[in-house]
Amino acid sequence: VIGMVTKVNPRLAVVKILCVGDDPLPNEFPAIIRQNEVRQTQVDEVEMYKCFRPGDIVRAEVISLGDKNSYYLTTAKNEYGVIYAKSVSGSTMIPVSWDTMQCPKTKITEHRKVAKMV
């Protein structure tokens, strides 16, 4: 699924699901990425603010229907994570590595859990 991060706290990121595959949804669906579902390794060391920021567009996989309020998502595979992010200056950021994106205008780097492009 494709979604937009709306809120980040130390334990989870709140996402609204916008697309399933290539199909846009008529309504947004609430979802959560929990801290232990961000990546496969070093799960205890995940800092949510270094993985996602509000406004980021992410590719993720639904792992369960969750509770009555939200689906549960994972980005724990290489192809899942941030696929689009804007810098403070408003420029579209470019992936530099699996955990870093860079603003082409200011050259400032920011941490993200970057999706491997497939």
Side-chain angles (χ1 to χ4, degrees):
V1 299
I2 304 293
M4 177 185 285
V5 177
T6 58
K7 190 164 49 171
V8 179
N9 71 40
R11 292 186 15 240
L12 56 87
V14 178
V15 177
K16 53 185 177 185
I17 299 173
L18 306 172
C19 298
V20 175
D22 293 331
D23 301 323
L25 298 173
N27 301 311
E28 299 167 348
F29 290 90
I32 292 172
I33 302 171
R34 295 174 295 187
Q35 183 181 15
N36 62 337
E37 295 293 344
V38 172
R39 62 182 187 221
Q40 293 174 329
T41 59
Q42 299 170 326
V43 175
D44 299 340
E45 298 173 18
V46 170
E47 293 180 54
M48 295 302 287
Y49 295 111
K50 288 187 174 183
C51 298
F52 309 106
R53 304 265 173 94
D56 288 355
I57 304 297
V58 297
R59 181 185 302 121
E61 180 179 1
V62 176
I63 53 172
S64 86
L65 299 177
D67 55 27
K68 65 180 180 176
N69 299 320
S70 300
Y71 290 92
Y72 288 157
L73 305 179
T74 182
T75 58
K77 293 182 182 172
N78 291 343
E79 62 267 25
Y80 300 138
V82 176
I83 56 174
Y84 175 85
K86 283 200 168 200
S87 67
V88 176
S89 69
S91 299
T92 300
M93 298 186 75
I94 299 167
V96 178
S97 69
W98 70 272
D99 68 346
T100 310
M101 295 183 99
Q102 183 177 40
C103 173
K105 190 184 287 183
T106 63
K107 304 298 182 202
I108 294 173
T109 59
E110 295 180 15
H111 290 284
R112 296 290 202 285
K113 196 295 186 179
V114 180
K116 183 178 181 180
M117 300 312 280
V118 287

